[in-house]
């Protein structure tokens, strides 16, 4: 029983460790480097494209992050506590990482389905659209709170050009269910507006309301 508790704690520690790295990598390796280095360049592209693009080197990042878990954290946990502890830390880390990858991608592609997903989108899109030095955590707010970069606006201002397709109805305006969380700002020229309507309609036919 005590052993099981230690493994659960190790898993939780690995999961929390990922959250800290998510924050540090996003803040320092992606934003503070201002486009120097592949991670930063791809991340700035992700911002410029309003989140519709995802890095094509994901297989590399997947492998890299698994490697960090099993080559760095696992031996440290093994040396400090024991083999099982080391493995559980590495698994917690990997689960934290893939959870981040999935939830981040979903935030740009799908409307929220849970309170947590609704929170994550507001938190992350405030960062995306005009406040890149705040909300560096994506899946948890803890580290933004610790480092003083947490911002929780009542409504997130989204430039019309960058509205995520799931936010918009077939008329190109915010769907009523998202109006408490977001407001659209700025204007579109005719070509941009047509392109956006196409995206919103394509999205509506891929992901019908259920
Ligand atoms: Zn994003
Ligand atoms: Zn960012």
């Amino acid at each position: 029983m005590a052993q099981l508790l230690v493994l659960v704690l190790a898993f939780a520690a690995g999961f929390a460790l990922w959250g800290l790295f998510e924050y540090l990598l996003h803040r320092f390796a992606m934003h503070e480097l201002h486009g120097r280095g592949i991670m930063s360049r791809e991340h700035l592209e992700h911002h410029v494209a309003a989140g519709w693009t995802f890095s094509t080197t994901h297989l590399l990042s997947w492998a890299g992050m698994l490697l960090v878990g099993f080559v760095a954290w696992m031996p440290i946990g093994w040396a400090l506590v024991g083999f099982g502890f080391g493995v559980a830390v590495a698994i917690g880390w990997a689960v934290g990482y893939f959870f981040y990858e999935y939830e981040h991608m979903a935030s740009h592609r799908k409307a929220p389905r849970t309170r947590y997903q609704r929170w994550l989108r507001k938190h992350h899109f405030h960062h995306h659209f005009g406040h890149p030095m705040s909300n560096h955590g994506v899946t948890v707010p803890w580290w933004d709170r610790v480092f003083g970069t947490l911002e929780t606006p009542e409504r997130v201002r989204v430039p019309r050009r960058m509205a995520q397709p799931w936010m918009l109805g077939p008329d190109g305006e915010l769907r009523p269910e998202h109006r408490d969380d977001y407001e659209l700002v700025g204007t579109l020229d005719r070509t941009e507006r047509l392109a956006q309507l196409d995206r919103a309609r394509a999205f509506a036919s891929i992901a019908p309301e259920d």
Side-chain angles (χ1 to χ4, degrees):
M1 188 62 199
Q3 225 166 8
L4 183 67
L5 188 66
V6 169
L7 291 184
V8 171
L9 278 177
F11 179 88
F15 192 86
L17 189 63
W18 163 258
L20 174 61
F21 271 72
E22 176 189 286
Y23 180 92
L24 296 175
L25 285 173
H26 187 190
R27 177 166 178 186
F28 295 103
M30 297 178 187
H31 281 278
E32 298 268 339
L33 287 183
H34 301 291
R36 291 188 299 272
I38 184 163
M39 218 183 216
S40 184
R41 215 164 40 242
E42 282 185 343
H43 187 69
L44 297 191
E45 273 167 27
H46 173 70
H47 272 264
V48 170
W52 300 316
T53 60
F54 279 85
S55 144
T56 48
T57 58
H58 258 188
L59 271 179
L60 278 181
S61 9
W62 293 354
M65 290 304 162
L66 282 177
L67 211 66
V68 171
F70 286 91
V71 174
W73 309 135
M74 202 269 271
I76 294 175
W78 187 0
L80 289 177
V81 183
F83 180 72
F85 187 90
V87 173
V89 169
I91 293 175
W93 162 272
V95 168
Y97 169 65
F98 284 110
F99 179 72
Y100 152 77
E101 285 286 12
Y102 175 77
E103 286 296 342
H104 179 218
M105 185 190 69
S107 73
H108 289 288
R109 298 192 175 170
K110 295 179 185 167
R113 286 167 176 265
T114 61
R115 273 172 62 130
Y116 171 73
Q117 290 186 333
R118 184 173 162 193
W119 167 81
L120 185 147
R121 280 156 181 69
K122 272 186 82 175
H123 178 75
H124 183 55
F125 295 153
H126 178 68
H127 163 85
H128 253 279
F129 303 128
H131 303 266
M133 297 326 282
S134 68
N135 298 4
H136 292 286
V138 176
T139 56
V140 293
W142 309 328
W143 300 105
D144 283 296
R145 194 163 284 148
V146 169
F147 294 114
T149 50
L150 183 67
E151 287 181 8
T152 52
E154 200 165 317
R155 276 210 194 96
V156 172
R157 293 161 61 85
V158 180
R160 249 169 216 284
R161 255 176 340 105
M162 298 198 161
Q164 307 291 289
W166 57 260
M167 291 176 176
L168 305 176
D171 58 351
E173 294 300 323
L174 271 184
R175 288 173 176 272
E177 66 267 34
H178 302 312
R179 285 180 195 158
D180 285 345
D181 294 338
Y182 302 97
E183 61 184 290
L184 296 177
V185 296
T187 50
L188 295 177
D189 65 28
R190 199 181 132 73
T191 327
E192 287 172 326
R193 185 164 169 79
L194 289 175
Q196 186 166 76
L197 279 173
D198 272 353
R199 273 198 304 274
R201 287 188 185 129
F203 177 82
S205 60
I206 302 165
E209 284 297 292
D210 58 2

